[in-house]
Amino acid sequence: MKYSAQDKLTRNAQRVLRDFVVAMRDQLAESPFAKITVNDLCNEANYPRSTFYNYFDDKFDLLNYCWSQAIALIGLDQVHATAGETVLLETFDRLYVLLTTHQDYVNQVLANNNYAFLRANLYEYMVTIAQKMFHDAFACESDLPIEMSVEHCFDTITTVLNWIFVKQHPTTLAQAHRYLAELYGFDLASIPEA
């Protein structure tokens, strides 16, 4: 994206970014990402192509910005835990609530899109962000590289979310926690209540 998170955005810039996020959101519910064009996004948002390119390099850049907005929406950047298990549960809970709250939209997007592509794109984005955010939580756990520990954490999270939301096995949050504990290898009773 051509603006960094540290940039102070004008109201106009905020509006333009919001409109393009909504355009991408609406387009993903109607069409496969591969078929969405910059023209489609500009028509949906009601801006010329030049405005799009003032903010984004391409539609992938906009998709990454959409992921950043979803992360901000659920407050994932505010997860400050001291242990990997706590990070895993807190991160999972926020994603679970987001997906549960927007289940109909998620189903529309999945019906129109290649799940493997969206999952890989989101996973890559989230792991990159998590490497920075969760450095301390994974730094003292073992001799494993932090990057590997964070990837393992997100592999576990996405496995359970995939089971619940993509393969459509409705599961309570408590049951999902039991799945996470079993897959990740920790005792739920050892995790302090939030």
Side-chain angles (χ1 to χ4, degrees), residues 116-137:
F117 164 76
L118 288 178
R119 179 185 183 272
N121 186 271
L122 176 59
Y123 177 86
E124 181 181 319
Y125 182 82
M126 293 214 30
V127 167
T128 301
I129 297 301
Q131 299 293 355
K132 299 171 195 162
M133 288 171 35
F134 304 145
H135 184 275
D136 293 341

Side-chain angles (χ1 to χ4, degrees), residues 88-102:
L88 179 134
L89 288 173
E90 218 177 309
T91 302
F92 179 85
D93 289 357
R94 291 170 189 241
L95 291 168
Y96 177 92
V97 168
L98 178 70
L99 293 171
T100 302
T101 304
H102 301 287

Side-chain angles (χ1 to χ4, degrees), residues 9-137:
L9 297 174
T10 65
R11 284 188 198 149
N12 184 55
Q14 291 172 10
R15 185 179 39 87
V16 170
L17 290 170
R18 183 188 63 241
D19 291 347
F20 277 118
V21 167
V22 170
M24 177 63 85
R25 183 194 69 207
D26 293 348
Q27 287 291 308
L28 283 172
E30 297 171 9
S31 306
F33 180 79
K35 292 188 178 184
I36 297 171
T37 66
V38 170
N39 281 340
D40 294 334
L41 294 165
C42 290
N43 289 337
E44 182 87 27
N46 202 24
Y47 291 102
R49 285 174 60 92
S50 59
T51 300
F52 178 89
Y53 288 113
N54 284 338
Y55 292 86
F56 304 102
D57 294 325
D58 53 29
K59 68 181 185 176
F60 295 93
D61 194 22
L62 172 56
L63 184 60
N64 283 338
Y65 181 71
C66 292
W67 296 140
S68 76
Q69 295 305 291
I71 286 170
L73 177 70
I74 62 173
L76 196 56
D77 55 343
Q78 297 166 6
V79 173
H80 297 293
T82 56
E85 293 85 5
T86 314
V87 166
L88 179 134
L89 288 173
E90 218 177 309
T91 302
F92 179 85
D93 289 357
R94 291 170 189 241
L95 291 168
Y96 177 92
V97 168
L98 178 70
L99 293 171
T100 302
T101 304
H102 301 287
Q103 182 77 46
D104 291 339
Y105 174 73
V106 170
N107 290 339
Q108 283 181 298
V109 170
L110 292 174
N112 289 313
N113 285 274
N114 177 339
Y115 168 70
F117 164 76
L118 288 178
R119 179 185 183 272
N121 186 271
L122 176 59
Y123 177 86
E124 181 181 319
Y125 182 82
M126 293 214 30
V127 167
T128 301
I129 297 301
Q131 299 293 355
K132 299 171 195 162
M133 288 171 35
F134 304 145
H135 184 275
D136 293 341

Side-chain angles (χ1 to χ4, degrees), residues 147-159:
E147 295 82 6
M148 187 185 302
S149 296
V150 171
E151 284 184 32
H152 177 63
C153 178
F154 275 89
D155 284 343
T156 306
I157 289 170
T158 57
T159 296

